[in-house]
Amino acid sequence: VSVLNNRTDADDEANKKRPAEENADNTAKRKKKNKNVAEPILIRSHSEAEQTNSDATEHQLDEREKENQLSKVSELFSDGKVLLAQGKYAEAIKPYQEALDIQLQVLGDFNLKVALTYVAIGTTLFCQHKCEESMKMHEKALKIRLDKLGNRHPDAAWSYNNIGIALYRQGKHEEAIRMHEKALEIRLDKLGNSHPDVALSYNNMGCTLSNQAKYKEAMKMFRQALDIYLEVHG
């Protein structure tokens, strides 16, 4: 069982909407802003007009600084991906963490780009066999995704999948099965019976059941996964 690269169409689409960013990947949905209804002003003094112009200039500077910060996040994320691909897991954590710190400041706690960075950190920690720490990162990603996307979204399924694998590596097989069952339920509902991600869930459930010596049940899961792989890939 292994954590797969958790890039999705939803995350990729989110990347296009941000100037330049974290991903992993990365901002998917913009931070919601309160819309204040202003009362009509019939007479404005000179000082009020100056203040308005000053506020507008400051807003432009804020937006420009925000874009600069998100551009830096994109560079840090790229650095992390390269280091991760090279197997330099301890080094990869640093740029990912720097990217996360900026994102939390610029985008806030509940942003899909932030969720994707948690996934990247969680995956890197998993590669270092730090499974409990990895699980915590994936749980944070799941919390954001459930809030922003709902509990039936394929990205939520990916988080359940990753948490399940972390639990599996900790020997918590019953809990791992529950996570994989949640991922499978979403994937069957949203992706259909013959999607590779569905096969992945069957495979991961099979591995977990096998480690519990539930070989008959595990074999059933492996066969379902195989049937899908053969149908998709031939």
Side-chain angles (χ1 to χ4, degrees):
V1 182
S2 59
V3 176
L4 302 183
N5 184 4
N6 191 15
R7 292 203 55 171
T8 65
D9 292 338
D11 291 321
D12 288 338
E13 183 62 26
N15 289 340
K16 298 176 184 176
K17 296 179 182 178
R18 280 284 176 195
E21 208 285 76
E22 136 216 3
N23 309 39
D25 48 66
N26 330 138
T27 300
K29 286 194 178 179
R30 297 177 184 273
K31 196 175 181 182
K32 294 182 180 177
K33 298 180 180 179
N34 295 327
K35 296 181 179 179
N36 299 319
V37 179
E39 291 294 326
I41 299 174
L42 300 179
I43 301 174
R44 175 175 288 170
S45 70
H46 181 67
S47 60
E48 288 174 330
E50 285 181 335
Q51 181 62 49
T52 299
N53 290 336
S54 175
D55 290 344
T57 301
E58 289 179 7
H59 177 72
Q60 290 173 1
L61 290 174
D62 289 343
E63 288 299 315
R64 192 177 303 121
E65 178 60 23
K66 183 177 179 179
E67 289 183 14
N68 290 337
Q69 290 296 310
L70 293 178
S71 179
K72 183 178 180 181
V73 165
S74 182
E75 294 175 5
L76 288 166
F77 211 93
S78 295
D79 291 344
K81 287 172 66 177
V82 170
L83 291 167
L84 182 61
Q86 293 175 339
K88 299 177 180 179
Y89 307 129
E91 295 177 47
I93 287 290
K94 184 177 179 180
Y96 281 145
Q97 186 62 57
E98 287 183 30
L100 177 63
D101 292 342
I102 295 171
Q103 286 177 315
L104 290 173
Q105 183 178 3
V106 175
L107 302 174
D109 295 340
F110 279 82
N111 187 284
L112 289 173
K113 288 277 191 178
V114 173
L116 200 55
T117 304
Y118 281 132
V119 170
I121 294 173
T123 301
T124 307
L125 289 167
F126 182 85
C127 291
Q128 294 178 278
H129 307 289
K130 297 179 179 180
C131 297
E132 188 172 355
E133 295 176 55
S134 171
M135 185 176 69
K136 290 178 181 178
M137 293 296 106
H138 290 303
E139 286 174 339
K140 289 183 178 183
L142 175 62
K143 186 176 181 180
I144 296 171
R145 286 170 168 174
L146 291 176
D147 180 75
K148 295 298 183 181
L149 302 174
N151 61 3
R152 307 300 295 173
H153 195 279
D155 286 3
W158 268 113
S159 288
Y160 284 127
N161 176 84
N162 293 342
I163 292 170
I165 293 171
L167 287 166
Y168 167 86
R169 287 294 179 88
Q170 295 175 72
K172 300 177 180 179
H173 297 127
E174 290 295 336
E175 295 176 57
I177 283 290
R178 286 194 289 271
M179 293 297 105
H180 289 309
E181 285 176 340
K182 288 184 178 183
L184 177 62
E185 183 181 356
I186 296 169
R187 286 166 169 171
L188 286 171
D189 180 49
K190 297 298 181 181
L191 304 176
N193 297 331
S194 301
H195 194 279
D197 288 356
V198 172
L200 177 67
S201 286
Y202 283 132
N203 178 78
N204 290 346
M205 289 177 69
C207 291
T208 307
L209 289 165
S210 180
N211 266 0
Q212 293 177 285
K214 298 179 179 180
Y215 302 119
K216 187 175 180 179
E217 296 175 57
M219 184 62 69
K220 182 180 178 181
M221 295 294 108
F222 288 137
R223 282 176 174 164
Q224 287 180 283
L226 178 61
D227 288 344
I228 295 172
Y229 286 137
L230 290 175
E231 181 179 347
V232 173
H233 301 293

